[in-house]
Amino acid sequence: MSSRSRTRSVKSAAGVTSVHIPRQRGRRSAQPFVVVVPERPSLTREALVAIGALLWRFRRPLAPTALALLAFVVTALLHTIAWWSGLLLAPAAAVPALWLGIMQRRRPASGSVLAWRAALALLATVTGAWAALSAGFGPFAGPLPLVWLLLWLAAQTAWPIVRHTR
């Protein structure tokens, strides 16, 4: 093995491989290049990559979970920044009931269609009321965490049914 390709012993940190590229011909005063490459990623990084890959793979089925977590964080921030925002969100809780009345007037339905409309309107009304109360009093006040959990379970359960019936 020639002296140009042979590495000299240099101290480096544990778990790090350093590769020295010898000087080029004709450039005796230039410093050699040093490339430092870690041997393998840490166990924490591998676990985070695996969790991220699973979340990305199942991103559509987990959409209600992401929205529920986002709503929880947003209402907590609204409560922290401006508690009176709950008063602004309160009228929005009546919009789904209004939508149900308009839909029944324009396109009357019965049977399962009416049941789905009513269930959707009820879920949206309770969600709007939860958001208003959570922004006003905080998401951890009284029974609001339990209501959030039940809403999340209902949305996550209905989501696959709604997605596959279209």
Side-chain angles (χ1 to χ4, degrees), residues 12 24-25 42 48-49 56 68 80 82 88 112 119 161:
S12 62
Q24 302 296 318
R25 291 184 187 199
S42 67
L48 289 175
V49 167
W56 183 254
T80 304
L88 298 176
S112 66
I161 298 167

Side-chain angles (χ1 to χ4, degrees), residues 37-112:
V37 181
E39 286 186 10
R40 64 177 109 156
S42 67
L43 188 59
T44 304
R45 182 176 174 192
E46 286 183 12
L48 289 175
V49 167
I51 290 170
L54 276 173
L55 288 175
W56 183 254
R57 183 176 174 199
F58 296 109
R59 64 188 179 273
R60 286 190 181 137
L62 291 175
T65 300
L67 289 174
L69 290 173
L70 181 68
F72 199 86
V73 170
V74 166
T75 56
L77 286 174
L78 281 175
H79 173 68
T80 304
I81 295 170
W83 64 267
W84 47 265
S85 60
L87 297 173
L88 298 176
L89 290 174
V95 171
L98 184 65
W99 170 82
L100 180 62
I102 291 172
M103 284 302 291
Q104 278 302 104
R105 179 115 169 123
R106 286 187 181 172
R107 296 180 187 210
S110 61
S112 66

Side-chain angles (χ1 to χ4, degrees), residues 139-153:
F140 293 109
L144 290 178
L146 179 64
V147 173
W148 177 83
L149 182 67
L150 293 175
L151 285 171
W152 168 71
L153 283 172

